[in-house]
Amino acid sequence: MTTAPGLLRERELATALEAQGYFADEGLCTAIHLALRLGRPLLLEGEPGVGKTEVASVLSRVTGLDLIRLQCFEGLDSGQALYEWDYPKQLLQVRVAESRGQAVGDLYREEFLLRRPLLRAVQAERGAVLLIDEIDRADSEFEAFLLEFLGDFQITIPELGTVRARTPPIVVLTSNRTRELHDALKRRCLYHWIAFPEPDRERAILRTAVPGLAEQAAEGLV
């Protein structure tokens, strides 16, 4: 069932997350709630394995919106994240036009555009949940490409103009803090550090993840 995220109260949000098997503490629930209400990107940091990436996945299930994932890595550029032009298709158009003695026409139309995760998120009619995973693994220069998108949920394509989101996406960024992120990026996001869960919450996670797990085994794992 699709839920309008901005209409959920904080307690209702926590219940909806738990129904999907995600046990968020009060601080994380507050951060998610504010991000949804204010329409701001949410930047999550924490040690590997604390559930940063899963936040986006569970929000996709709670809201019924598509999950779009951008996995960051060293050398990631705007063409892989935003958009690029389909050069083979453009070249084919040129050859077909020449063979027919026709004018080539405009080669920078939407039909020649390859939509990458950020552009897909902006153009999603119903909105989407966009996960920008492990942003700290990308080069620091890549963050500059994100600023327009994170600030206004829009992308400027020089040949076509500015594409604005009709329905702003829910954006979740994650970082393992392998490097410090730029202040300009942080200012565009709400921030939360996810700590390791306390014992009671970890037991609840284990009971959900491994149904039928013996209590003694659960205690040992905790």
Side-chain angles (χ1 to χ4, degrees), residues 43-48 50 52 133-138 143 173-181 186 191-194:
L43 172 59
L44 300 174
E45 287 192 327
E47 298 294 334
V50 295
K52 302 184 297 295
D133 206 16
E134 297 184 320
I135 181 61
D136 54 317
R137 292 186 178 274
E143 293 179 35
L173 301 92
T174 73
S175 168
N176 293 323
R177 199 178 273 184
T178 59
R179 67 172 177 83
E180 193 68 27
L181 301 177
K186 291 180 179 179
Y191 175 85
H192 185 73
W193 172 271
I194 301 182

Side-chain angles (χ1 to χ4, degrees), residues 102-176:
Q102 300 172 342
V104 173
D106 185 6
L107 293 176
Y108 292 97
R109 305 191 300 268
E110 288 208 16
E111 64 185 277
F112 298 115
L113 196 63
L114 295 174
R115 293 164 175 80
R116 301 309 185 196
L118 298 187
L119 183 56
R120 286 168 51 206
V122 165
Q123 293 186 321
E125 289 292 333
R126 296 177 53 243
V129 178
L130 173 66
L131 170 63
I132 303 177
D133 206 16
E134 297 184 320
I135 181 61
D136 54 317
R137 292 186 178 274
D139 300 325
S140 59
E141 292 79 6
F142 176 72
E143 293 179 35
F145 291 114
L146 290 178
L147 298 183
E148 179 186 18
F149 172 80
L150 295 176
D152 300 310
F153 296 123
Q154 67 180 34
I155 291 173
T156 298
I157 304 174
E159 298 85 355
L160 297 178
T162 299
V163 181
R164 295 180 176 86
R166 293 183 180 178
T167 304
I170 298 170
V171 181
V172 178
L173 301 92
T174 73
S175 168
N176 293 323

